[in-house]
Amino acid sequence: MSIEPSRAPSAWRATRLKQFLIGSAHYPEHVDRSYWERDAERMAKAGFRVARLAEFAWHILEPREGEFDFSLFDDAIAVLARHGISTIMCTPTATPPRWLTHRYPEVLRVDEKGRPASHGSRQHADTTSPVYRLHSRRICEAMAFHYADNPNVIGWQTDNELNTSTSLTYSDSALREFQVYLEQRYGTIEKLNHAWGGDFWATAFGSFDQVVFPIHELPVSPGPGHLQDYHRFLAHATARFQLDQIEIIRKANASWFVFHNLGRLNDIDFRGDFSRELDFMGYDVYPFLLDEGQRIGGAALSQALSLDMFRGFSGNFIVPEQQVGFGAQSLVATVAPEPGEMRRMALSSVARGADGIIFFRWRAAHFGAEIYWMGIIDHDDVPRRRYDEAAEFARNLISIEDDILGTHVRIDVGIAGGDFDNQEAHRTYPMGLPSPQDEAIRIYKHCYEQGIACGFVHPEDDIDRLKVLIVPHWVMWRAEWTKKIADYAQKGGTVVFTALSATRDENNHVLRETAPGIGVGDLCGVKVEEIGRLPAPGDDGLSAYEDRHVSTRIRTRHPATSAERVHTVTIGNETVTAGYFYERLSIQEDTQVIGTWSSRFVTGEPSVTSRNVGQGRALYVGTYLTEDLVAAICGKVFPAANVEPLVPNLPKGVEVSIRQDDNRQILFVANTTSQPVFISNLPDGVPLLLDGERLGGAVKLAPYGFAVLKLSGSDQDGHKN
């Protein structure tokens, strides 16, 4: 299966796959060979095209150092191929064999307390280790060249969910690698000391071999620059570890596609080297697990948010692991998808930019750490409703793949995201404030619930496609971004900056100019004269530090403190609560005030401003966001920027998105609830898929049902996206 790679990161990059990837993660090593033929027959009958193999099988592929045995997987691939199933191979480096960790204990990760990781889990090997990199290259090279001429192997996955279990390591070899990285980055120790603020608390180093790891609260927090560079190093080492594998795979067979299946965002820089050499990214989708961690409004919202966020890193993607049922490890258990919901989740991934769905997993395991992580086939080898739903999904997708392949997801409102340095800068100095990602979630949730085409982009993307760009508290800023955004506004775009934007340089130093700096203040027509902390909405006015260190008796002594310090903002006729932070703003003559502080000592002062820039405008919000404040600002900004819902008056629990290119628009409408819903005001179009019935101008969608419409004509407002 060939592709035409275009690897420059972009929220609008298509995968260029010629066929939709549909299949499952398959572990033939977990059952005896009597199952294999029956498994392949069932996969083929369900409409599956691919199986993902070998991601945790290094101990089988190389049972002893230098002795390779590919026979099990050779045979398994051949059985699948007889039934028309192609194979995606995985490099098995997330779980090294015991002979390796026993003979080379220096490859084990070491935690902050100096304890080495133990064999018997996964991701226990240190990807910064030169020794581990050597063995990783060996197994990858042996596998890649063994399968180089096998026509049944069509692509590769690198490793498995890099950094999901942990990204941190404090081993001796990691420290040496960290020191080398810093010397290459700075050249001289004087430049490093400047970047890390070595004159503060006498934290300077005399040479690179004196550099130590930043250790939290030993006894207090290390400097922001020190922390920032440690996490830059981890991201660099992760990308380097993966690049070793990519280069070997491409050398063996240049026609293979290569991707990685991402689980979490620990120390991975997508705008750096990590995704540039991949043909596309893969994102593993476990909505109920996400909802447990995020608590933002349900599994459907968590899934949409994560996929739209991930797509902003490098464009369309595949889903190498799509949850199919109840999932559990020893200390976690997720809610199980209800009848119809597994198929709905898979179709929602397609609506958000997936060009492939690989279900996790084919069958439930009988042993190991995930014995109750259910598969398409149950423990008793009986196919039931999950198998039927997977087969129905495959039939649906195959019937419409020609209509959707090659399209990208429409974005009207872009939220600045995907910048490693800005997210890490927050972590180095959080002050109890939300991160840029936390604030982005508030904005995204509003757009999602209103049915507005919202996504995540980077300032280096083609932002001219957007109607509105919102930059949530990016403290680290570059002059070239200001110029690009100013050009975007000149041509009619609307940009919104929020508090603390453009206040630090590339070293995480606070700028020596009035905020916001690096041209953002001039663009928005504002200056920040004073800053201060506000209580978080609903809290008692204490910072995160105080929350950890102040006794309950002291914290409850003055219960009126929070109420006294709440600040409100008035926009038009609406007064809402601000959150976490205030800025006192002064404005230029050509800057309009569209929101004012309406409480306490800042009453009447500007809180939200707007300045006309060419045909567009630049807004500045001098605080952090609450849900009510997001709604008030969007209610003011969106109509003026011609941002409208894709489908107006959506019932609660219905989500919408559009995939499109220059010639077609495909509208996806999903009922994420267990009850039927009525949807009116759908635009004219040809139904490609409809789980329900038309009732005049409305549609009645079944529980967890989908409508996919090929819209008539082109985008009427001339939107370029």
Side-chain angles (χ1 to χ4, degrees):
M1 184 178 297
S2 63
I3 62 166
E4 301 167 8
S6 175
R7 299 189 186 115
S10 166
W12 295 277
R13 185 180 75 164
T15 63
R16 301 293 190 263
L17 283 165
K18 302 301 185 183
Q19 192 180 61
F20 208 93
L21 299 177
I22 307 170
S24 69
H26 184 37
Y27 301 90
E29 68 270 30
H30 290 181
V31 294
D32 66 61
R33 290 175 181 245
S34 66
Y35 285 77
W36 290 8
E37 200 77 34
R38 185 165 63 254
D39 285 341
E41 289 173 356
R42 288 172 173 172
M43 289 181 190
K45 186 176 179 180
F48 287 8
R49 292 167 166 169
V50 298
R52 191 172 61 113
L53 270 63
E55 62 183 344
F56 300 126
W58 192 341
H59 67 297
I60 295 171
L61 296 161
E62 190 181 10
R64 288 164 293 280
E65 184 173 2
E67 297 180 21
F68 299 101
D69 183 355
F70 301 103
S71 59
L72 185 149
F73 289 98
D74 289 348
D75 294 346
I77 291 167
V79 171
L80 291 167
R82 284 201 297 271
H83 295 273
I85 310 294
S86 298
T87 293
I88 297 171
M89 291 297 286
C90 306
T91 64
T93 48
T95 51
R98 179 55 178 146
W99 63 257
L100 198 160
T101 57
H102 177 72
R103 186 172 298 171
Y104 306 100
E106 65 270 30
V107 306
L108 292 169
R109 290 184 186 272
V110 175
D111 72 7
E112 241 182 353
K113 296 180 180 179
R115 300 174 302 181
S118 173
H119 192 85
S121 184
R122 66 176 183 177
Q123 294 192 345
H124 47 294
D126 184 348
T127 53
T128 73
S129 163
V131 175
Y132 194 61
R133 284 181 67 197
L134 172 65
H135 287 282
S136 167
R137 288 193 295 265
R138 277 197 320 100
I139 186 63
C140 292
E141 186 171 58
M143 291 178 69
F145 283 92
H146 178 80
Y147 290 109
D149 298 321
N150 189 324
N152 302 314
V153 175
I154 61 172
W156 286 76
Q157 172 188 298
T158 61
D159 202 86
N160 176 268
E161 294 184 342
L162 278 161
N163 296 352
T164 294
S165 302
T166 184
S167 57
L168 305 179
T169 183
Y170 299 89
S171 65
D172 290 342
S173 66
L175 179 59
R176 290 192 294 272
E177 292 292 303
F178 182 39
Q179 293 165 347
V180 169
Y181 167 81
L182 294 172
E183 187 165 13
Q184 291 174 345
R185 179 177 179 86
Y186 291 105
T188 68
I189 198 65
E190 290 77 18
K191 289 182 179 179
L192 178 140
N193 285 329
H194 168 74
W196 290 6
D199 289 338
F200 191 87
W201 284 354
T203 53
F205 295 94
S207 61
F208 287 103
D209 60 10
Q210 290 182 2
V211 172
V212 296
F213 286 126
I215 305 295
H216 286 276
E217 298 185 357
L218 197 65
V220 294
S221 296
H226 194 171
L227 275 171
Q228 185 97 7
D229 271 335
Y230 174 59
H231 289 281
R232 283 171 172 159
F233 159 69
L234 293 175
H236 160 79
T238 302
R240 181 183 62 182
F241 179 79
Q242 177 178 248
L243 185 59
D244 288 346
Q245 302 186 7
I246 296 172
E247 290 176 343
I248 290 167
I249 292 166
R250 294 206 186 284
K251 184 177 180 181
N253 187 331
S255 70
W256 281 329
F257 60 75
V258 187
F259 66 90
H260 178 71
N261 68 321
L262 184 74
R264 294 172 63 187
L265 304 181
N266 294 335
D267 293 314
I268 292 178
D269 182 0
F270 293 91
R271 306 300 298 200
D273 293 332
F274 187 85
S275 63
R276 290 183 185 273
E277 296 305 318
L278 296 170
D279 293 296
F280 44 82
M281 280 300 303
Y283 301 108
D284 294 346
V285 175
Y286 296 98
F288 299 101
L289 194 60
L290 285 171
D291 185 41
E292 283 292 317
Q294 293 175 330
R295 299 289 187 182
I296 61 171
L301 174 56
S302 289
Q303 177 179 350
L305 166 69
S306 63
L307 290 180
D308 282 341
M309 186 181 298
F310 291 154
R311 194 185 65 252
F313 297 142
S314 59
N316 283 13
F317 52 90
I318 69 166
V319 176
E321 297 183 17
Q322 176 84 54
Q323 182 174 359
V324 300
F326 172 63
Q329 294 179 347
S330 62
L331 299 178
V332 64
T334 76
V335 173
E338 296 183 352
E341 199 169 7
M342 167 190 154
R343 171 179 169 271
R344 194 281 303 163
M345 294 188 311
L347 285 166
S348 288
S349 291
V350 175
R352 300 283 165 185
D355 287 346
I357 302 291
I358 300 173
F359 293 107
F360 187 85
R361 42 189 287 164
W362 173 246
R363 69 170 67 254
H366 293 266
F367 45 79
E370 293 179 346
I371 54 176
Y372 288 112
W373 206 287
M374 304 309 292
I376 292 173
I377 304 295
D378 285 321
H379 288 102
D380 58 5
D381 198 39
V382 176
R384 296 185 173 92
R385 69 173 175 90
R386 294 193 298 276
Y387 177 84
D388 294 337
E389 283 188 43
E392 183 181 5
F393 167 78
R395 289 193 299 272
N396 296 153
L397 258 291
I398 290 169
S399 71
I400 64 174
E401 68 179 337
D402 290 342
D403 293 293
I404 60 177
L405 282 174
T407 62
H408 58 262
V409 178
R410 171 170 166 169
I411 307 174
D412 290 343
V413 176
I415 304 171
D419 190 73
F420 179 80
D421 266 354
N422 270 288
Q423 194 65 19
E424 290 302 320
H426 171 80
R427 290 172 179 162
T428 68
Y429 210 89
M431 301 186 290
L433 298 173
S435 71
Q437 183 172 305
D438 295 332
E439 291 290 86
I441 289 173
R442 296 180 192 274
I443 302 162
Y444 180 88
K445 183 178 179 182
H446 173 83
C447 293
Y448 173 87
E449 292 173 345
Q450 298 298 314
I452 290 167
C454 179
F456 293 79
V457 301
H458 195 278
E460 294 170 3
D461 279 348
D462 181 11
I463 60 174
D464 288 349
R465 297 170 180 251
L466 304 172
K467 295 179 179 180
V468 175
L469 171 64
I470 304 175
V471 183
H473 317 298
W474 278 28
V475 295
M476 300 181 80
W477 199 251
R478 299 179 184 176
E480 59 265 30
W481 296 347
T482 306
K483 182 181 185 306
K484 188 169 184 179
I485 288 173
D487 291 343
Y488 161 74
Q490 284 282 346
K491 291 180 281 191
T494 297
V495 61
V496 182
F497 289 91
T498 59
L500 287 181
S501 292
T503 53
R504 300 187 212 167
D505 65 15
E506 69 277 4
N507 293 320
N508 217 349
H509 294 186
V510 176
L511 297 174
R512 298 174 185 269
E513 61 178 298
T514 304
I518 317 181
V520 172
D522 292 336
L523 177 65
C524 296
V526 299
K527 291 182 178 180
V528 176
E529 305 290 350
E530 178 182 319
I531 63 174
R533 178 82 157 82
L534 297 178
D539 78 3
D540 60 2
L542 294 172
S543 71
Y545 177 84
E546 291 168 324
D547 247 349
R548 289 197 305 272
H549 295 278
V550 181
S551 72
T552 302
R553 180 181 59 82
I554 296 174
R555 291 175 64 226
T556 58
R557 184 179 296 169
H558 300 292
T561 300
S562 178
E564 290 173 356
R565 291 184 177 273
V566 165
H567 284 195
T568 55
V569 172
T570 299
I571 299 176
N573 296 320
E574 189 173 6
T575 299
V576 296
T577 301
Y580 306 101
F581 207 76
Y582 72 86
E583 293 181 335
R584 301 184 76 172
L585 307 178
S586 62
I587 61 173
Q588 297 175 185
E589 290 184 2
D590 60 349
T591 303
Q592 301 172 301
V593 177
I594 63 173
T596 58
W597 292 108
S598 49
S599 63
R600 296 180 52 74
F601 61 92
V602 286
T603 298
E605 295 184 13
S607 57
V608 183
T609 66
S610 176
R611 176 174 176 265
N612 292 332
V613 180
Q615 301 177 56
R617 57 180 182 153
L619 290 90
Y620 191 86
V621 181
T623 185
Y624 276 59
L625 302 174
T626 61
E627 287 192 9
D628 289 342
L629 183 54
V630 168
I633 292 171
C634 292
K636 193 82 172 176
V637 171
F638 287 179
N642 296 317
V643 173
E644 297 178 344
L646 298 176
V647 177
N649 304 315
L650 283 175
K652 187 176 181 180
V654 175
E655 63 179 36
V656 293
S657 62
I658 285 179
R659 288 185 60 156
Q660 64 183 35
D661 62 13
D662 292 340
N663 303 309
R664 52 191 162 155
Q665 292 190 91
I666 312 298
L667 174 69
F668 293 80
V669 184
N671 177 8
T672 70
T673 76
S674 61
Q675 301 297 318
V677 294
F678 292 87
I679 304 168
S680 56
N681 303 313
L682 284 179
D684 293 335
V686 177
L688 301 177
L689 175 65
L690 181 58
D691 299 327
E693 56 183 321
R694 286 183 177 273
L695 301 169
V699 166
K700 180 183 178 182
L701 271 188
Y704 303 117
F706 241 92
V708 181
L709 302 178
K710 189 171 187 177
L711 300 185
S712 304
S714 58
D715 199 348
Q716 297 300 309
D717 66 3
H719 185 62
K720 295 193 301 179
N721 181 274

